[in-house]
Amino acid sequence: MLADAMAAVLGDADRMVQLAAVYGLALHNDERCVEAARLLGPPQRGSLEEEGYLDAAWRYEWRRDRL
């Protein structure tokens, strides 16, 4: 399953790989993106790319909590 493959790289040493995994999990409405985004913390200052990846997890959480 694709979501499981993304979850498997959440512990990768490369922050961008982790961010891409969080983004992919969020797009697949996978709950694991929420905790992973929390563990990554805020985006690096001035990084619109990181903001975009993490925003997907925040939007997923918002949609989830509205139901």
Side-chain angles (χ1 to χ4, degrees):
M1 174 178 251
L2 183 59
D4 290 334
M6 287 183 279
V9 297
L10 287 172
D12 194 275
D14 187 327
R15 181 175 171 85
M16 290 308 294
V17 171
Q18 294 172 356
L19 287 162
V22 165
Y23 179 77
L25 289 170
L27 292 182
H28 285 86
N29 295 315
D30 190 301
E31 177 67 25
R32 294 175 283 189
C33 73
V34 176
E35 181 61 23
R38 284 191 183 123
L39 290 173
L40 282 170
Q44 301 295 317
R45 179 174 288 202
S47 176
L48 295 177
E49 185 175 26
E50 285 199 15
E51 285 183 30
Y53 283 135
L54 292 170
D55 186 58
W58 298 325
R59 283 182 282 137
Y60 161 78
E61 191 172 15
W62 181 81
R63 287 190 314 271
R64 179 202 65 193
D65 293 346
R66 288 195 54 182
L67 298 176

